[in-house]
Amino acid sequence: MSLNQLVVAKFGGTSVADYPAMSRCADIVLSNPNTRVVVVSASSGVTNLLVELTSANVNDERRLSLLKQIAQIQYRIIDDLGRPQDIAAQIDKLLSRMSVLSESLVLDRSKALMDELLSMGEQCSSVLFAAVIREKGTASSAFDVRQVLRTDSHFGRAEPQIEQIATLSRDFLQPLLANQVIVTQGFIGADNEGRTTTLGRGGSDYSAALLAEALTAHAVEIWTDVAGIYTTDPRLAPNARPIAEISFNEAAEMATFGAKVLHPATILPAVR
Ligand code: ASP
Ligand code: MG
C-alpha cells in the first residue's frame, strides 16, 4: 500500500455491536488493502449506559446494574472470540476502571472524570475489533487515539486542534501503518495535559475525518447500518430514497439540520 492511497474507515455502534457484526465489518476492512486505519464507536448502547453512569442521581444499585450491562456486552464478544486470555485481561482492566470512575463521580462531579468514563466504550470496542481482525489472519493492533487526537479542555464538547493532530499523527500513527491495520477510537481525544476529552455525541464520524485529514488519506469511509444517505431517515419514512451522490455542501446542510447519518462537523476536515 502506498500511503497516498490510504483509506480511513469508520464503523458505528451497530456495526460493532456484537461479534457477528464486528466480523462482517472486519471482512469489509480486509477487502481493501488500502484500509489501514479503522475508527470505531462504542458497541451499540454502551455510551448511553455510560452517560447514565455519569448522571448525578444514579444510586448504588443502579450503578452496579449499569456496570454489569456494559460488562455483558463486552463479554459476549470475548466469548465468541474463544475467550483469549490477553484480551479478557485488557477488557477487565477497562471494566474495573469504569467501576472506579463511576464511584469517584459520586463524590467529585468533575467533568474530566466524566469524559474519561464516557471514553471507555470506544476503548473496549477498539481492543475487541483489533482482535477480530487478527483472528482472520491479518496483523492488527488497537491504538490509543489520545496520543494524537489533541483537543482543547472543553470536556463533553472538546475542540480538535488541527495542526497538533496533524503533527502527532505523522509522528506516532503514520509509522505504524506500514504492515498492519490500526484500530482506534472515535469520539475521544486528550487535552494538552493528557486528560481524556470527548467530541460530543456521535463524534466518531468527526474523529475519522480528522484522522483522514491528518494523514492526508485518499478517502474517509463512514460505514453504517443504513445503505447510504437517504432523502429522509429510511427507518422512519418508507418512501425515503437513497441519494447516489451528494456534494459536501448538501451533506453538511443535511447533517446540520439533524440527519443522524453524519456528525455535522465531519464534512469540514473532508473539505480541507
Ligand atoms: N459512542 C459515541 C456516541 O454514542 C460516539 C459515536 O458513536 O459516534 O455518541
Ligand atoms: Mg453516528
Side-chain angles (χ1 to χ4, degrees):
M1 182 205 67
S2 77
L3 273 178
N4 56 18
Q5 294 295 313
L6 174 70
V7 172
V8 176
K10 177 261 173 178
F11 294 90
T14 46
S15 308
V16 296
D18 51 25
Y19 177 84
M22 281 194 181
S23 177
R24 285 193 298 273
C25 294
D27 289 338
I28 291 173
V29 169
L30 297 177
S31 70
N32 182 354
N34 294 322
T35 304
R36 289 295 173 90
V37 178
V38 175
V39 176
V40 289
S41 292
S43 299
S44 197
V46 171
T47 308
N48 287 345
L49 294 166
L50 291 167
V51 167
E52 194 181 336
L53 269 182
T54 65
S55 76
N57 46 14
V58 61
N59 64 29
D60 218 43
E61 189 188 314
R62 182 69 188 147
R63 195 176 67 78
L64 294 175
S65 149
L66 290 165
L67 288 167
K68 196 170 157 199
Q69 289 176 63
I70 294 168
Q72 275 168 352
I73 294 170
Q74 315 308 324
Y75 258 87
R76 230 178 290 136
I77 301 171
I78 294 177
D79 285 346
D80 284 346
L81 271 167
R83 284 196 167 257
Q85 287 279 303
D86 55 330
I87 302 297
Q90 281 183 68
I91 297 295
D92 283 344
K93 211 170 145 192
L94 294 168
L95 290 169
S96 61
R97 182 78 189 141
M98 283 181 221
S99 171
V100 169
L101 285 167
S102 68
E103 227 181 328
S104 315
L105 276 172
V106 175
L107 299 171
D108 175 9
R109 306 214 29 80
S110 127
K111 290 215 154 118
L113 288 186
M114 286 185 202
D115 263 9
E116 193 187 339
L117 183 52
L118 289 179
S119 79
M120 304 302 282
E122 273 77 5
Q123 293 191 59
C124 288
S125 60
S126 53
V127 165
L128 295 167
F129 197 91
V132 172
I133 293 183
R134 285 198 300 277
E135 196 195 30
K136 293 177 185 284
T138 297
S140 180
S141 38
F143 174 79
D144 188 340
V145 83
R146 293 172 295 184
Q147 284 187 56
V148 300
L149 210 129
R150 184 70 73 249
T151 69
D152 68 7
S153 306
H154 187 165
F155 298 104
R157 213 173 227 307
E159 197 57 53
Q161 308 296 298
I162 309 300
E163 270 159 37
Q164 291 183 62
I165 295 171
T167 311
L168 292 165
S169 298
R170 253 176 266 131
D171 289 352
F172 298 111
L173 183 51
Q174 189 121 289
L176 305 177
L177 304 182
N179 46 17
Q180 62 180 328
V181 175
I182 288 295
V183 181
T184 195
Q185 306 82 29
F187 179 54
I188 79 176
D191 72 2
N192 266 330
E193 291 166 46
R195 293 177 300 181
T196 302
T197 55
T198 62
L199 304 181
R201 295 303 305 271
S204 295
D205 300 335
Y206 192 21
S207 302
L210 288 165
L211 291 176
E213 175 183 27
L215 295 165
T216 59
H218 170 65
V220 54
E221 297 178 345
I222 311 287
W223 292 85
T224 184
D225 59 340
V226 174
I229 296 183
Y230 278 64
T231 48
T232 49
D233 189 337
R235 288 169 297 203
L236 304 177
N239 58 351
R241 285 177 295 104
I243 301 168
E245 201 174 305
I246 191 166
S247 69
F248 281 135
N249 279 338
E250 289 165 327
E253 197 171 309
M254 279 186 87
T256 307
F257 290 106
K260 292 215 176 77
V261 71
L262 214 56
H263 182 281
T266 308
I267 299 294
L268 300 171
V271 171
R272 290 196 295 263

